[in-house]
Amino acid sequence: MNTYLFPPSSDEKVLNDFTLHIKAGQKVGLVGKSGAGKSTIVKLLLRSYDTGQGKIEIDSQDISSLKFNSLRNAIAFVPQDTSLFHRTLYENILYARPSAKKDEVLVASTRAHAHDFIEQYPNGYDTLVGERGVKLSGGQRQRIALARAILKNAPILVLDEATSALDSESEEIIQQGLQELFHDRTVVAIAHRLSTLRAMDRIIVLEGGRIVEDGNPQDLLEKKDGLFKHMWEHQKKGFI
């Protein structure tokens, strides 16, 4: 997969002189302070809005020329806060691929570490989750999101701070599910947590809409006075 991201046209550009090439199967983490452009990259990739200038390509195809269904079938998205439908747990997982068989749903749920908590409900997979999944904890909703992504089995995985709002115990469970998702996929992840960043092949550090550092985590940590090293040290001390 060759992916190129360029800034939209506006009076105040969010991304400036921005070019990013991601190889197939590579796990890339996007880091930077608030407003650096991380969420903009994800929204452009998902075509939440289109670029005004430049283009985004997947396998040499400009995504603006693709039908939305084709693009969305190629990408599995796990947001920070997962919205569920007021349906059963089974239906919420099946939403990712309505043609899937029951055993495929159960396998995806198990790999996402959701099966055990679902089975604890009296109605199991037939349990209604309430509006926006109100009956579930944040960690449980994220496990359902992971089950959806696993069931979808898309070649590209996009994560938007999927563990940032979770407690340590829930995060550990989600991280185990993420390892299932990362296998044989191209990953683009907005991430702050050290546990997620460790799994990345490459870190892109953004500042003011520009790439200021690009490399594998270990190399960036050895960079004297590097921005990523500075962020890492602050997080270790509990400031981030």
Side-chain angles (χ1 to χ4, degrees), residues 189-210:
I190 297 177
H192 286 160
R193 297 288 185 98
L194 299 179
S195 48
T196 302
L197 294 174
R198 284 196 201 101
M200 298 295 112
D201 301 317
R202 181 180 172 199
I203 300 294
I204 304 296
V205 184
L206 298 167
E207 187 173 50
R210 290 183 171 87

Side-chain angles (χ1 to χ4, degrees), residues 105-116 125 147 150 180:
V105 172
L106 297 182
V107 168
S109 175
T110 300
R111 291 177 61 192
H113 299 269
H115 181 77
D116 288 344
Y125 283 84
I150 291 171
E180 294 281 353

Side-chain angles (χ1 to χ4, degrees), residues 205-238:
V205 184
L206 298 167
E207 187 173 50
R210 290 183 171 87
I211 296 176
V212 293
E213 293 179 11
D214 180 356
N216 70 58
Q218 191 57 45
D219 286 347
L220 293 184
L221 287 175
E222 294 174 0
K223 186 177 179 180
K224 185 178 180 180
D225 298 325
L227 183 57
F228 179 68
K229 181 177 181 179
H230 177 73
M231 295 170 64
W232 184 283
E233 292 298 327
H234 273 68
Q235 185 175 149
K236 284 172 63 179
K237 295 174 183 178

Side-chain angles (χ1 to χ4, degrees), residues 25 52-53 59 94 97 105 124 132 135 139 143 147 158 162 164 175-176 179 189 204-205 217:
Q53 296 177 357
D59 286 336
L94 187 67
R97 185 158 58 89
V105 172
R132 299 178 62 84
K135 294 183 179 180
R143 278 181 266 178
V158 177
S164 64
Q175 288 296 340
Q176 294 170 6
Q179 295 309 311
I204 304 296
V205 184

Side-chain angles (χ1 to χ4, degrees), residues 3 80 88 97 186:
T3 306
Q80 180 178 352
T88 65
R97 185 158 58 89
T186 302

Side-chain angles (χ1 to χ4, degrees), residues 87-93 102 105-111 114-129 144 147:
R87 298 285 184 177
T88 65
L89 285 161
Y90 182 84
E91 289 172 312
N92 269 285
I93 298 172
K102 184 175 182 179
V105 172
L106 297 182
V107 168
S109 175
T110 300
R111 291 177 61 192
H115 181 77
D116 288 344
F117 89 77
I118 292 174
E119 288 291 279
Q120 291 177 6
Y121 287 109
N123 293 325
Y125 283 84
D126 292 326
T127 301
L128 292 170
V129 303
I144 297 300

